[in-house]
Amino acid sequence: MIDMLVLRCNFSKQANPNKLGELEYPMFRLETLGIPLEKFIDKDGEEMAVRHPWERIPSYFEGMAFKVFDHRFDALDCFYIEIKASPAKIMQGHNVFGSSDFYDCSMSMLNLLSDTYPELFALLDHASWSLVQIDITFASRAKDNNEARAFINALQNVSYGHTKSRTGYDGTAYFGKKNSRLKKIKVYHKAAEVTETVKKNVKKSNAAELAGIYTNELLDFSAGMIRWEVSLYHRYFERLGITTNLNDLFKTN
């Protein structure tokens, strides 16, 4: 299943009236986008900068993180957005299992953004949507939770070739560099994670609804589950000569 997606899209450029044939990012202020903003004030009380912090766009089941990155006025000269979420949680409220369909998972996030900020969505260069990160997970099963935890803890001492193990904690094993910008590998005990989620759900405003999702049957299904997860970043695909453009990926999905 696809457990996490981070997607990026540039704002559309416009013709520069002063330089024929050149395109530039629109010069409107962030305040016109209808997004929540943070203002920075200097010691004299003057406004220094305005930025869009990461915000949580709510959906029926689970929220999606969203941020506008505005570098039109510095050396980076770029203007884009990022969205990130677990498609499984957006579509069904949990990620004990879920879809592996890249198109469906991506569209669940794009549709949520479009429904929430239709005017902003219309300003984007949709041909530039790209994949920044994808977390892919598969599962195997142990006899019970104790056996699953023992197996994963034993993996903390296993390495293969250039893939080295890192010190994890009870029920979780990591492989590869912690700060790698290519890929990260993680093996963990899913039932323990689900149990912690259920505890946190009790304190949420939609606790009753979440209780209807995290049923006893779902908890039983997660028992003994060993989750194998790899996080792949855009640099990994670029090194392999694989496109990260969403439209191209949709064609090959």
Side-chain angles (χ1 to χ4, degrees):
M1 63 170 282
I2 297 174
D3 197 25
M4 172 64 69
L5 280 178
V6 183
L7 306 177
R8 177 180 297 177
C9 186
N10 296 326
F11 280 84
S12 295
K13 289 187 175 182
Q14 301 172 345
N16 186 334
N18 300 316
K19 297 181 180 179
L20 188 63
E22 288 194 14
L23 299 176
E24 62 182 11
Y25 288 112
M27 302 308 291
F28 56 74
R29 294 173 63 85
L30 289 182
E31 288 90 338
T32 66
L33 295 177
I35 55 178
L37 299 173
E38 287 182 343
K39 294 185 178 181
F40 297 87
I41 307 298
D42 64 16
K43 60 183 179 64
D44 298 319
E46 296 294 327
E47 180 181 303
M48 293 179 60
V50 175
R51 75 180 183 97
H52 179 219
W54 280 103
E55 68 166 296
R56 180 180 180 275
I57 297 178
S59 70
Y60 183 79
F61 290 120
E62 185 71 20
M64 177 178 71
F66 166 57
K67 180 176 172 62
V68 174
F69 292 83
D70 186 6
H71 295 288
R72 290 172 293 171
F73 310 108
D74 57 36
L76 294 178
D77 187 28
C78 54
F79 188 27
Y80 63 93
I81 69 163
E82 279 191 9
I83 54 176
K84 57 182 177 181
S86 167
K89 289 185 177 180
I90 288 179
M91 293 189 284
Q92 63 191 24
H94 70 81
N95 65 343
V96 177
F97 52 80
S99 174
S100 296
D101 189 305
F102 181 72
Y103 178 83
D104 286 349
C105 289
S106 299
M107 291 307 298
S108 69
M109 297 169 60
L110 267 60
N111 288 336
L112 179 55
L113 177 64
S114 175
D115 291 342
T116 307
Y117 290 114
E119 295 181 0
L120 182 151
F121 195 76
L123 297 173
L124 299 176
D125 175 12
H126 295 290
S128 72
W129 276 105
S130 63
L131 174 65
V132 177
Q133 176 188 339
I134 182 171
D135 290 6
I136 303 171
T137 67
F138 291 94
S140 56
R141 290 192 176 277
K143 179 178 63 178
D144 53 34
N145 289 335
N146 289 333
E147 185 176 86
R149 186 179 295 107
F151 172 77
I152 295 168
N153 289 342
L155 286 180
Q156 296 179 6
N157 302 311
V158 175
S159 297
Y160 180 77
H162 294 290
T163 304
K164 307 296 183 182
S165 61
R166 290 191 284 111
T167 302
Y169 50 92
D170 187 32
T172 304
Y174 297 96
F175 297 88
K177 296 180 180 179
K178 184 177 182 179
N179 59 347
S180 174
R181 292 193 287 179
L182 295 176
K183 67 177 181 178
K184 296 177 184 177
I185 300 172
K186 174 183 175 183
V187 186
Y188 60 100
H189 182 210
K190 185 60 179 178
E193 182 188 73
V194 172
T195 299
E196 287 301 310
T197 300
V198 170
K199 291 179 181 178
K200 293 177 181 178
N201 287 346
V202 174
K203 301 178 182 179
K204 295 183 178 180
S205 58
N206 59 339
E209 181 181 354
L210 291 171
I213 296 172
Y214 285 84
T215 61
N216 290 332
E217 290 77 12
L218 187 67
L219 269 63
D220 291 342
F221 183 80
S222 70
M225 181 181 288
I226 300 168
R227 182 67 70 85
W228 306 79
E229 178 178 288
V230 59
S231 299
L232 301 175
Y233 302 90
H234 65 97
R235 292 174 183 266
Y236 177 83
F237 295 104
E238 290 167 357
R239 285 197 178 186
L240 294 177
I242 300 174
T243 181
T244 57
N245 179 271
L246 239 58
N247 290 330
D248 292 336
L249 291 172
F250 288 163
K251 295 175 185 177
T252 59
N253 186 36

